[in-house]
Amino acid sequence: MERWYGKVALVTGASAGIGAGICRTLVQHGMVVVGCARSVDKIRAICEEDAVKTSPGKLVAIKCDLTQESEIVSMFDEILRTFGRLDLCVNNAGLGHDSPLLTGNTSDWRNMLDVSALGFFP
């Protein structure tokens, strides 16, 4: 992990679960982590945890709904303006709908693809 010290990472779905855990771990290893999610207040709460505040890295919260192209573009613009680069992307955001293949709703499938696969490609 030493080669990643001081590098800038983006973690989607950073407000809870695996995404929040990834943010904590990367910050503890000295990375500057941009955590994005729709629930930015949850990421800000993680920023205030003692283990995160005393880590050699830093966690920055950005609100971004990955189904909204304008928010994705704005997020990447803010990362570029603030840090000048992005070294690592962890596309952790995802969701699922109970939408079976034969009876499901295509709008549910589109939503899952937008968040899980297309979120990084505005």
Side-chain angles (χ1 to χ4, degrees):
M1 286 295 296
E2 292 85 29
R3 74 184 190 130
W4 293 102
Y5 193 92
K7 303 289 186 178
V8 180
L10 169 63
V11 178
T12 66
S15 62
I18 293 170
I22 292 169
C23 289
R24 289 178 182 105
T25 300
L26 295 179
V27 167
Q28 289 171 353
H29 286 283
M31 292 190 78
V32 175
V33 179
V34 177
C36 83
R38 292 174 298 175
S39 303
V40 73
D41 289 339
K42 292 180 181 179
I43 303 170
R44 288 185 182 128
I46 296 167
C47 292
E48 295 303 315
E49 293 173 3
D50 287 339
V52 172
K53 287 169 59 172
T54 60
S55 291
K58 177 181 178 180
L59 177 60
V60 177
I62 294 182
K63 181 188 180 308
C64 185
D65 181 341
L66 293 176
T67 65
Q68 302 299 314
E69 182 177 344
S70 62
E71 290 191 28
I72 297 167
V73 171
S74 293
M75 175 185 64
F76 281 112
D77 286 345
E78 184 173 343
I79 292 169
L80 185 59
R81 276 192 318 274
T82 305
F83 303 107
R85 69 179 202 275
L86 182 61
D87 302 302
L88 175 71
C89 292
V90 180
N91 190 12
N92 170 74
L95 57 87
H97 296 290
D98 185 13
S99 197
L101 185 59
L102 295 177
T103 59
N105 183 327
T106 56
S107 65
D108 288 343
W109 302 334
R110 186 170 285 110
N111 181 242
M112 287 186 283
L113 284 171
D114 283 349
V115 171
S116 301
L118 300 177
F120 277 124
F121 305 105

